[in-house]
Amino acid sequence: MLSEPAIQEKIKDIHATFLEPSAGEGAFLVEILHQRLTYLGQQVSKANWTKQAIWALMSIYGIELLQDNLLKARDAMLEVVINHYQAKMQKQLSVKTEFYKAAKFVITTNIVQGNTLEYTTNDGQLIEFSHWWPVDGKVQRETFAYKSLFNNSDVTDMGAAEGQLSLFGELETEAEKEYALCDVLKVYKEERG
């Protein structure tokens, strides 16, 4: 499926969104990430690679019902990031670096536990995601409910009628800008605006 020309075009666009609604152990997400980082490795200099790699992560989302699968998916994605970093930079990646902290944070934020069909987490809350907007070389983070991706009359109404999902369409959100504009490598600090 990922070899289709239209999908390959989206993989090369680091801001194109991918959502795996049943992530399992992350096989699909890992392959998308691997292909994106391989492409970046060929296109981007060492000096720019870390920021571009974080941008590549920011548009990959997943939902998994089972906690053990969720943890495996996150770990597998982080392993891909580490391997690509070490191949590009020709050095070990320290867990103390901003790049590592940002990558781990984005993966944890974008790959979440929940029931895709019910739009909820195990504790009954609506599944929330973050959308990462590029603004003047920095990133603006906005949170939104997964359910808002559907044409529902009221996203807070758990029984609202279901609509059509558009994965590559413009994201519409009514969420206020809760987070401060920041450098892409500092998103893990979660500074408020």
Side-chain angles (χ1 to χ4, degrees):
M1 182 173 105
L2 293 178
S3 64
E4 292 292 319
I7 301 298
Q8 282 298 305
E9 184 179 319
K10 296 296 183 187
I11 286 173
K12 293 175 182 174
D13 175 359
I14 63 170
H15 297 291
T17 303
F18 284 90
L19 169 65
E20 173 55 71
S22 182
E25 294 180 4
F28 184 65
L29 299 172
V30 164
E31 186 58 27
I32 290 168
L33 180 59
H34 170 67
Q35 289 187 28
R36 272 198 171 162
L37 295 180
T38 298
Y39 176 74
L40 280 178
Q42 297 164 352
Q43 302 297 317
V44 178
S45 70
K46 279 185 181 183
N48 295 324
W49 188 86
T50 55
K51 287 186 179 188
Q52 294 301 308
I54 298 298
W55 278 115
L57 273 172
M58 288 177 164
S59 59
I60 300 173
Y61 299 88
I63 302 169
E64 174 51 38
L65 181 62
L66 303 175
Q67 187 69 21
D68 58 337
N69 283 348
L70 173 70
L71 297 175
K72 288 177 185 176
R74 287 175 176 170
D75 287 346
M77 290 185 70
L78 188 57
E79 188 67 28
V80 169
V81 170
I82 291 168
N83 290 339
H84 279 270
Y85 174 91
Q86 292 177 172
K88 182 72 174 179
M89 302 301 173
Q90 296 296 302
K91 65 179 181 178
Q92 291 291 109
L93 176 58
S94 168
V95 297
K96 296 179 181 181
T97 64
E98 286 192 324
F99 175 73
Y100 178 87
K101 291 175 186 177
K104 186 171 183 175
F105 175 77
V106 171
I107 290 168
T108 301
T109 303
N110 283 11
I111 313 303
V112 300
Q113 184 284 321
N115 183 324
T116 302
L117 299 176
E118 295 180 9
Y119 314 107
T120 58
T121 63
N122 276 348
D123 59 2
Q125 300 298 310
L126 284 173
I127 295 169
E128 285 193 356
F129 283 118
S130 289
H131 184 73
W132 315 89
W133 298 93
V135 178
D136 299 326
K138 295 189 175 198
V139 62
Q140 177 67 61
R141 176 183 176 196
E142 295 178 359
T143 58
F144 66 96
Y146 164 66
K147 191 170 184 175
S148 71
L149 294 173
F150 296 83
N151 291 329
N152 294 328
S153 59
D154 181 2
V155 287
T156 59
D157 178 7
M158 299 303 249
E162 292 184 23
Q164 182 65 34
L165 176 64
S166 175
L167 290 178
F168 297 111
E170 286 296 314
L171 177 68
E172 294 180 16
T173 179
E174 295 177 12
E176 294 179 23
K177 293 183 179 178
E178 304 170 18
Y179 296 94
L181 193 65
C182 70
D183 183 276
V184 73
L185 293 174
K186 297 185 187 303
V187 293
Y188 68 93
K189 293 183 177 183
E190 294 192 276
E191 294 176 357
R192 297 294 176 156

